[in-house]
Amino acid sequence: MSKKICVIGTGYVGLIVSVGLSDFGNEIIGVDVDPDKVDMLNRGISPIYEPGVERYLKRNLETGRLSFSTDIDGSIQGSEVIIIAVGTPPKENGEADLSFVENVVKSIAANLNSYKVIVTKSTVPVGTNRWIKEKLEEYAPGKDFDVVSNPEFLREGKAAQDFFHPDRTVIGYESEKARDVIFEVYRSLNLITVPFVWCSLETAELIKYASNAFLATKITFINQMANLAETVGADIHTIAKTMGMDGRISPKFLHPGPGYGGSCFPKDTMAVVQTGDKYSVDMSLIRAVIEANDRQKSRMVVKLEKLLGGFSGKTIAVLGLAFKSETDDIRDTPALNIVEGILKHGGKIQAHDPKAMDNFSKVYPEVQYCHSEFDALKGADALVLVTEWNEYRNLNLEKAKSLMKGNIILDTRNLLDINLVREKGFIYEGVGRG
Ligand code: UDX
């Protein structure tokens, strides 16, 4: 039987979960403190760019199964399942800031008018779900509820696909009653035989951090190998491809680049280190990954500066600002380091990104934002490719050559055909293509 669910927070995770669970037939009310956002969502407009999401949003609004509201109290009271999907941004010291979660817990405690299952979707440090349980017992003594940890593994740009076809669904739980409720919420996924991992609250919490820290480590490993490859004259793509043929390694997440960014890896790796520090457990590997990733981002700036012989008085075309393609998200994008490095040393920037220019211009208004990649290339001394948007993969090199003043290309994603680029008379550098 479908469930009445209140999703608190309509950010990235909250929005996808709301549209996804309503598509499964549940009745969803998405809650946010921002009335403009709620209004937008009720009109079927997505505040973020994410392929497919607006279609699901409109479809489920039309059925009446999905709506959005600022009324947190009424929404909690009318629901059996409360999903916490508010942000857990990093504090100065890398620790996850749980103040938004705590405020939500207070609201839930004040509105526990019947048995409810409280589901934590936000990525929270180990021990947080038990802390939520204790807080609820303290604020609402004697009330009937259960706490469930259900971490989210969505990738930006592929969120809808990931929601409807996850590799696995992880549920940390303590009561059979809650397990039955969650089983109903995800009935559609059970029907398509998605593996469910039923485990303790702490195990569920740590699965999420372990997965993200591992993927960040895998990327950092291949980035360092790429740096070595380019120095000794080896080709990282052949190396990565061949490593991936070993079933124990797998070919995924072995693509070298300018360093990982986004809303998860930088934040979650820092939180793992913080948790290790808290319990005096050695997390030196992850600490080294964080540092190496920062150096990888800086390395791109140094490479470009060397190719150009200094930035002063030079114009650089930056193609791609988002931390990856198919998103407008610029959180911790390597483009921030590259742009900062160029501007600091007296370079001028002409930038293009299909979706992320609005967000980027709020941080760097001094950059010249262009309508197309070709506008950005006009008169440029060098081109730096930062995001792997498909439209940059087939860049018209002849046109690029005729528009640019110089002939330097730094391809931080290895998007272009190295032989073709050199044939057209460019000085080309990628990552790990010795
Ligand atoms: C990630 C996790 O994949 C997802 O499961 C979790 O829920 C949130 O964090 P996301 O940040 O959306 O998702 O993007 P992802 O595709 O994982 O890429 C993260 C970063 O790693 C990007 O900057 C990307 O460019 C980089 N990356 C990824 C590489 O540099 N090389 C790779 O081989 C893969």
Side-chain angles (χ1 to χ4, degrees):
M1 215 180 67
S2 66
K3 294 288 174 191
K4 280 188 157 188
I5 304 171
C6 166
V7 178
I8 305 176
T10 62
Y12 208 89
V13 170
L15 173 58
I16 310 292
V17 166
S18 298
V19 296
L21 288 181
S22 56
D23 216 69
F24 287 166
N26 296 291
E27 209 177 301
I28 310 287
I29 180 129
V31 176
D32 205 287
V33 285
D34 181 346
D36 294 336
K37 206 166 168 193
V38 164
D39 181 52
M40 247 175 115
L41 287 163
N42 276 328
R43 285 185 289 126
I45 303 164
S46 169
I48 49 161
Y49 171 73
E50 177 65 38
V53 162
E54 220 163 68
R55 187 164 50 89
Y56 285 110
L57 175 64
K58 289 200 171 88
R59 178 160 102 185
N60 289 291
L61 285 169
E62 272 163 26
T63 64
R65 283 194 303 260
L66 175 64
S67 63
F68 296 89
S69 167
T70 51
D71 174 18
I72 187 161
D73 296 333
S75 303
I76 293 171
Q77 285 169 20
S79 306
E80 184 185 357
V81 177
I82 318 295
I83 297 182
I84 305 176
V86 291
T88 53
K91 293 199 261 189
E92 277 286 288
N93 64 355
E95 202 184 332
D97 181 350
L98 294 177
S99 52
F100 296 119
V101 174
E102 186 162 14
N103 287 341
V104 170
V105 168
K106 283 182 186 155
S107 296
I108 295 172
N111 293 289
L112 272 176
N113 58 340
S114 57
Y115 172 73
K116 298 189 195 299
V117 179
I118 293 76
V119 180
T120 312
K121 269 275 174 207
S122 308
T123 301
V124 291
V126 184
T128 305
N129 278 282
R130 198 157 301 286
W131 170 82
I132 291 175
K133 192 177 167 192
E134 285 162 11
K135 285 281 162 201
L136 286 170
E137 278 161 358
E138 182 190 326
Y139 297 147
K143 292 287 168 73
D144 195 14
F145 69 90
D146 276 306
V147 171
V148 162
S149 167
N150 175 210
E152 195 45 72
F153 298 93
L154 300 173
R155 285 165 302 172
E156 296 189 22
K158 295 202 171 77
Q161 181 192 321
D162 285 351
F163 188 87
F164 292 109
H165 302 280
D167 289 335
R168 73 313 204 184
T169 296
V170 175
I171 314 283
Y173 76 110
E174 292 195 313
S175 92
E176 289 308 315
K177 197 170 165 189
R179 181 184 167 128
D180 292 346
V181 171
I182 297 300
F183 191 87
E184 288 303 324
V185 169
Y186 283 118
R187 178 169 283 279
S188 300
L189 290 186
N190 278 295
L191 293 175
I192 59 165
T193 60
V194 167
F196 273 64
V197 178
W198 300 93
C199 55
S200 73
L201 296 175
E202 287 76 11
T203 303
E205 290 166 334
L206 201 50
I207 286 172
K208 167 81 185 192
Y209 281 107
S211 303
N212 278 354
F214 183 80
L215 292 171
T217 306
K218 201 172 177 189
I219 297 167
T220 305
F221 177 89
I222 205 67
N223 282 343
Q224 290 205 332
M225 283 299 152
N227 298 345
L228 188 57
E230 77 189 17
T231 311
V232 301
D235 173 39
I236 195 64
H237 283 288
T238 310
I239 296 167
K241 207 165 130 191
T242 314
M243 282 172 67
M245 288 170 186
D246 186 327
R248 293 169 301 176
I249 297 175
S250 122
K252 291 183 183 163
F253 273 68
L254 281 181
H255 195 87
Y260 61 77
S263 62
C264 288
F265 291 170
K267 168 172 82 74
D268 294 350
T269 45
M270 283 202 291
V272 170
V273 168
Q274 248 292 324
T275 307
D277 287 350
K278 185 172 164 192
Y279 295 101
S280 301
V281 177
D282 177 19
M283 286 290 137
S284 50
L285 175 63
I286 311 304
R287 205 187 295 275
V289 166
I290 296 168
E291 288 166 10
N293 192 59
D294 287 343
R295 284 195 299 273
Q296 187 70 5
K297 290 178 175 176
S298 308
R299 189 180 164 92
M300 299 303 121
V301 183
V302 174
K303 267 182 137 184
L304 186 60
E305 196 170 16
K306 263 197 198 145
L307 282 165
L308 272 164
F311 290 130
S312 179
K314 305 275 169 60
T315 300
I316 292 107
V318 177
L319 296 192
L321 299 169
F323 83 96
K324 60 188 259 190
S325 62
E326 297 303 332
T327 179
D328 59 0
D329 198 337
I330 60 156
R331 281 176 284 180
D332 277 303
T333 170
L336 290 167
N337 304 63
I338 293 170
V339 164
E340 171 71 25
I342 297 171
L343 292 176
K344 206 166 83 187
H345 294 104
K348 187 183 150 221
I349 296 174
Q350 296 174 174
H352 175 261
D353 186 288
K355 298 288 172 196
M357 290 199 286
D358 272 359
N359 286 337
F360 210 88
S361 65
K362 288 175 196 143
V363 190
Y364 284 108
E366 61 270 56
V367 165
Q368 189 184 326
Y369 296 94
C370 303
H371 287 299
S372 73
E373 56 268 44
F374 297 112
D375 281 346
L377 289 167
K378 274 182 199 154
D381 295 283
L383 154 64
V384 52
L385 282 155
V386 188
T387 314
E388 72 284 20
W389 286 100
N390 269 338
E391 57 203 272
Y392 301 151
R393 289 179 200 272
N394 293 313
L395 188 72
N396 183 331
L397 292 170
E398 274 178 15
K399 195 168 171 188
K401 190 83 202 304
S402 69
L403 290 169
M404 286 173 68
K405 190 164 90 189
N407 64 343
I408 290 166
I409 298 182
L410 174 62
D411 180 1
T412 71
R413 299 280 184 171
N414 295 347
L415 301 181
L416 304 178
D417 180 328
I418 192 164
N419 294 322
L420 199 66
V421 177
R422 288 188 173 146
E423 232 170 67
K424 300 283 175 202
F426 285 100
I427 296 172
Y428 174 90
E429 266 207 44
V431 177
R433 303 172 107 177

